[in-house]
Amino acid sequence: MGVSGSGKTTVGELIANDLGGDFVDGDALHPAANIAKMSRGIPLDDDDRGPWLQEVGARLELARAEGRTLVLGCSALKRSYRDVIRAGAPETVFVHLHGSRDLLWERMQVRPGHFMPASLLDSQLATLEMLEGEEHGRVFDVSADPETLASVATAWLRSTH
């Protein structure tokens, strides 16, 4: 989980490979209307996100039920969003990729062809609610290179399961 530019896809693919599982980019699960809205620089609202978050949870739970490891990159910025995901997939563990606004902004400037404009970074950071309480997850600093980050996150995931 994390805001745009945090490395969810790059690090998620590496973690999935390390765990012998599959990776799904949560952006691919958005309906066309959500992608069109974000492409125009308009943040999604909770009504836009609801069905998408339910689909994320359903995909995670299906993989668990089938005995497959699935790493799914998803912003999951608010606790209420993570609650929707956990309602569908109670055993979900969150790897929160987090970094400074400047680093995230810099990364977003060099992503060719991504539908999410850098102009939405500040709204994502304003929306972000850090993991808390009984939420099963951990925050990882994205200033490390992706391979190191994935290795540390994979070691943590293995130690918790």
Side-chain angles (χ1 to χ4, degrees):
M1 67 170 273
V3 300
S4 190
S6 62
K8 294 182 300 290
T9 299
T10 301
V11 175
E13 287 174 340
L14 292 167
I15 291 171
N17 185 57
D18 288 349
L19 295 174
D22 297 315
F23 176 78
V24 171
D25 187 332
D27 288 343
L29 304 179
H30 272 295
N34 284 8
I35 292 174
K37 192 172 184 178
M38 290 183 285
S39 295
R40 293 190 310 271
I42 302 169
L44 299 180
D45 60 31
D46 289 354
D47 289 337
D48 297 323
R49 287 186 184 93
W52 172 66
L53 292 165
Q54 290 172 352
E55 178 64 18
V56 167
R59 294 281 180 111
L60 290 166
E61 184 58 21
L62 177 62
R64 187 208 58 77
E66 293 176 346
R68 295 183 294 115
T69 297
L70 178 62
V71 176
L72 196 149
C74 170
S75 53
L77 299 177
K78 288 184 178 180
R79 182 181 180 129
S80 62
Y81 303 165
R82 297 186 295 271
D83 289 345
V84 171
I85 294 168
R86 279 193 309 271
E91 295 182 28
T92 299
V93 177
F94 294 97
V95 171
H96 180 180
L97 304 178
H98 189 61
S100 73
R101 182 206 181 273
D102 289 343
L103 176 59
L104 297 166
W105 178 263
E106 181 181 306
R107 287 180 175 185
M108 290 182 78
Q109 300 305 307
V110 296
R111 294 188 321 171
H114 196 278
F115 67 85
M116 179 69 131
S119 61
L120 290 181
L121 176 60
D122 288 331
S123 72
Q124 285 200 325
L125 289 170
T127 300
L128 177 63
E129 296 173 359
M130 301 297 282
L131 292 168
E132 61 182 25
E134 75 289 345
E135 290 187 280
H136 192 182
R138 181 175 158 191
V139 178
F140 294 87
D141 183 351
V142 299
S143 62
D145 66 87
E147 292 78 12
T148 300
L149 192 53
S151 177
V152 171
T154 300
W156 173 75
L157 288 165
R158 285 187 172 133
S159 74
T160 64
H161 284 79

